Amino acid sequence: METLRVEHVVKEFGGLRAINNISLEVREGEILGLIGPNGAGKSTLINCISGVFKPNSGHIWLGRREITGWSPHAVCRAGIARTFQIPRPFPRLTARENVRVASFHRKSDPLEALERVGLHTKADVPARDLTFHERRKLEIARALATRPRFLLLDEVMAGLNPTETAEMVALVRQLREELGLSMLWVEHVMGAIMECADRLVVLHQGAVLAEGTPREIANDPQVIEVYLGERYAFKEDQLAACEEPERGL
Ligand code: ADP
Ligand code: MG
């Protein structure tokens, strides 16, 4: 079993401590959701793991290998791929070329990754002519082309309509089931993360506020106060409520 472990990581920007002593663990085959208000440090943590930022202190382990401070290239080669909150494909390159560029050190077929996300029919379309939803899928295809075991997703649902969101949820589940990917998934769209994640970690002001199953988190008064605003209603509960027999008849 290989886990991705973050231990006591601190990241400062000038005087600002964006991440203050965060520890968490993504287990093999698990979808770990990372939620919390804007500015809580979610993207910074992804950037620390993926090698974009070097933590000021703390350790990051992939299995028994310490990867703290490795370059993005080396982290990716070790089996951890990520998507960016704002997709920035090369606009004039086609979808296929964008995937090929991203997978420079792996001999993988760009079309296979595009097929996996349902974008193969757009392989020869320049990225600038893709819709927002398609660019999101391209971003995931680029990550998949590096043949990762761990995938770090940064708000892949943001800006999608309900149909596109449902499609993206199905894709994320499929990636876990078919490729056995483990995921650390930052998301603001509660319907998606609550229904897909095995566990959730809530960040607040650079620290872990709570950790637990989606149900535990949805009912945590502190999480409701600083982030959720109100209790999240699970789909199954709504169905159960509909099916509940009428009383008093
Ligand atoms: P989240 O993704 O949870 O919304 P971020 O990780 O983007 O939060 O940001 C956490 C804090 O770190 C914020 O206060 C943000 O302004 C700051 N921050 C993030 N990246 C940088 C950077 N490159 N330089 C300076 N400050 C940054
Ligand atoms: Mg962010």
Side-chain angles (χ1 to χ4, degrees):
M1 289 285 270
E2 193 171 46
T3 57
L4 173 60
R5 249 179 327 125
V6 171
E7 280 178 0
H8 306 298
V9 165
V10 171
K11 177 63 191 172
E12 293 174 348
F13 298 105
L16 176 91
R17 195 167 265 216
I19 282 191
N20 188 9
N21 195 20
I22 289 185
S23 299
L24 56 80
E25 187 179 85
V26 188
R27 300 166 193 155
E28 195 168 287
E30 170 179 65
I31 298 182
L32 180 67
L34 189 60
I35 62 175
N38 272 329
K42 304 180 299 293
S43 293
T44 302
L45 182 64
I46 294 227
N47 284 324
C48 285
I49 296 171
S50 62
V52 173
F53 296 150
K54 203 177 157 136
N56 293 74
S57 59
H59 305 272
I60 301 166
W61 298 85
L62 179 60
R64 285 195 209 150
R65 260 190 301 181
E66 178 162 14
I67 60 167
T68 323
W70 284 21
S71 70
H73 182 98
V75 172
C76 183
R77 196 190 290 262
I80 303 175
R82 55 95 43 97
T83 66
F84 284 87
Q85 190 170 343
I86 301 162
R88 288 195 191 86
F90 296 103
R92 278 182 287 195
L93 298 188
T94 64
R96 187 200 308 268
E97 287 162 347
N98 266 285
V99 173
R100 187 175 293 131
V101 171
S103 64
F104 55 98
H105 64 274
R106 291 272 201 274
K107 281 196 189 124
S108 65
D109 177 6
L111 208 56
E112 194 186 315
L114 288 170
E115 239 166 355
R116 183 72 65 182
V117 301
L119 209 57
H120 48 293
T121 57
K122 300 287 175 84
D124 298 313
V125 174
R128 64 175 171 211
D129 294 334
L130 296 175
T131 66
F132 184 71
H133 182 210
E134 288 166 345
R135 265 179 251 174
R136 274 276 156 71
K137 292 197 272 190
L138 177 59
E139 183 74 5
I140 294 178
R142 285 166 57 106
L144 292 180
T146 68
R147 299 194 185 277
R149 281 164 293 135
F150 284 83
L151 191 57
L152 314 177
L153 299 172
D154 199 353
E155 296 201 30
V156 284
M157 305 287 174
L160 301 186
N161 69 34
T163 313
E164 293 165 344
T165 303
E167 198 186 305
M168 198 62 107
V169 162
L171 174 61
V172 169
R173 286 191 163 139
Q174 184 195 331
L175 293 179
R176 194 245 302 258
E177 277 157 32
E178 291 176 10
L179 301 177
L181 288 182
S182 314
M183 299 185 215
L184 178 61
W185 177 9
V186 171
E187 195 52 71
H188 272 305
V189 177
M190 284 304 109
I193 200 80
M194 285 285 181
E195 307 289 338
C196 290
D198 299 303
R199 288 188 304 131
L200 291 173
V201 169
V202 187
L203 295 193
H204 181 53
Q205 297 178 344
V208 174
L209 176 75
E211 190 172 346
T213 64
R215 271 171 202 282
E216 287 162 355
I217 295 302
N219 289 303
D220 185 315
Q222 251 189 315
V223 176
I224 294 173
E225 188 185 327
V226 310
Y227 182 57
L228 292 177
E230 56 187 55
R231 188 163 281 140
Y232 176 79
F234 286 88
K235 273 192 214 143
E236 314 164 20
D237 294 350
Q238 288 167 14
L239 291 178
C242 294
E243 285 161 8
E244 205 169 300
E246 285 187 39
R247 294 191 181 94
L249 289 176

